[in-house]
Amino acid sequence: ALLRRFWKLYGTVDLIRLLARYAAARLADRLGRPRSVAALAARAGIPVRQLASINDEAYLRTLGDRGVDVLLSVSAPEIFRLAALQACPHAINIHNGKLPFYRGMMPTFWALLQGEPQVTITVHTMAEKLDAGSVLGEYPVPIGPRDSQFDLSARAKEVAGREVARLLARLGTPEWPTPVPVDMSQKRYFKFPTPADVAQLRQRGRRML
């Protein structure tokens, strides 16, 4: 299903190129040059646990027992239910779009299509309503004239990782930011791009990959 979805998004040629990059990353893992989350975690001695759902209540109960401070959502493929949001003191999401204007799926794609000069990484507390929590930090990422959707998304994730690490280092100190509520009266929500959306992006001189 994921492969079909990517084929509709990227097209045949770009999908083949994307799969080649994925294969190269898997090979790098095997050759001792970690690229995947699991391989990077293993090198750093960080345990990884795969779950069918983040809303697994048996797993969530272990967070309090282990004194976990933060549940951090990065490209999560499902909705965090109330039990997950309350499982530890802080439930935080990284969103690669300015809130509340770029709520929803693939905000970097929509920012490119809208002709924005930059995308904004938004780090926010998580609420039951999607992308509606209070903002802890915003980090701009300029859009270059030759940036593809993939380039922009990758660079945004690099910035997000770096800035979130800096932010979490301030947890429990007077430097921890005061959450700022999002003005939901200006909210917009974007769904996953359709082939027609991708065609429009390409007509404007932008590449997907």
Side-chain angles (χ1 to χ4, degrees):
L2 182 62
L3 193 61
R4 285 197 302 270
R5 194 178 202 185
F6 274 23
W7 174 68
K8 289 181 180 179
L9 182 66
Y10 284 98
T12 302
V13 174
D14 277 354
L15 178 61
I16 292 171
R17 293 173 61 203
L18 191 64
L19 289 174
R21 293 186 185 189
Y22 176 75
R26 291 295 300 270
L27 180 61
D29 278 354
R30 292 178 177 273
L31 295 177
R33 299 191 299 272
R35 296 282 303 280
S36 68
V37 170
L40 287 165
R43 170 172 283 189
I46 299 170
V48 173
R49 179 171 177 179
Q50 293 188 353
L51 297 173
S53 171
I54 189 59
N55 299 300
D56 180 337
E57 292 190 6
Y59 172 74
L60 293 174
R61 285 194 292 269
T62 71
L63 300 183
D65 296 338
R66 292 184 284 132
V68 173
D69 295 312
V70 178
L71 193 61
L72 182 65
S73 167
V74 183
S75 300
E78 66 174 334
I79 295 173
F80 285 51
R81 302 301 180 188
L82 185 59
L85 299 179
Q86 296 179 343
C88 58
H90 301 274
I92 297 172
N93 182 51
I94 303 171
H95 184 72
N96 287 351
K98 177 82 170 174
L99 294 179
F101 311 104
Y102 283 96
R103 297 170 61 240
M105 305 288 290
M106 290 188 66
T108 50
F109 172 90
W110 296 110
L112 268 182
L113 187 59
Q114 298 283 330
E116 299 283 6
Q118 66 181 32
V119 296
T120 300
I121 309 299
T122 305
V123 181
H124 63 94
T125 62
M126 296 179 72
E128 288 188 88
K129 192 169 186 177
L130 290 178
D131 298 332
S134 297
V135 175
L136 295 170
E138 294 182 324
Y139 311 97
V141 180
I143 298 176
R146 299 182 60 83
D147 279 343
S148 68
Q149 146 61 27
F150 189 93
D151 295 335
L152 181 59
S153 179
R155 193 163 70 253
K157 292 179 188 302
E158 289 175 1
V159 171
R162 182 174 65 247
E163 297 299 338
V164 167
R166 291 173 177 169
L167 178 68
L168 292 179
R170 297 154 58 190
L171 189 66
T173 74
E175 295 182 358
W176 184 252
T178 300
V180 178
V182 170
D183 181 3
M184 294 301 287
S185 68
Q186 303 183 60
K187 66 181 180 181
R188 293 188 300 179
Y189 186 88
F190 291 92
K191 296 182 179 180
F192 197 80
T194 66
D197 296 322
V198 173
Q200 187 178 1
L201 183 74
R202 287 176 168 146
Q203 287 171 3
R204 297 186 179 186
R206 291 289 184 177
R207 295 172 293 112
M208 286 297 294
L209 192 63

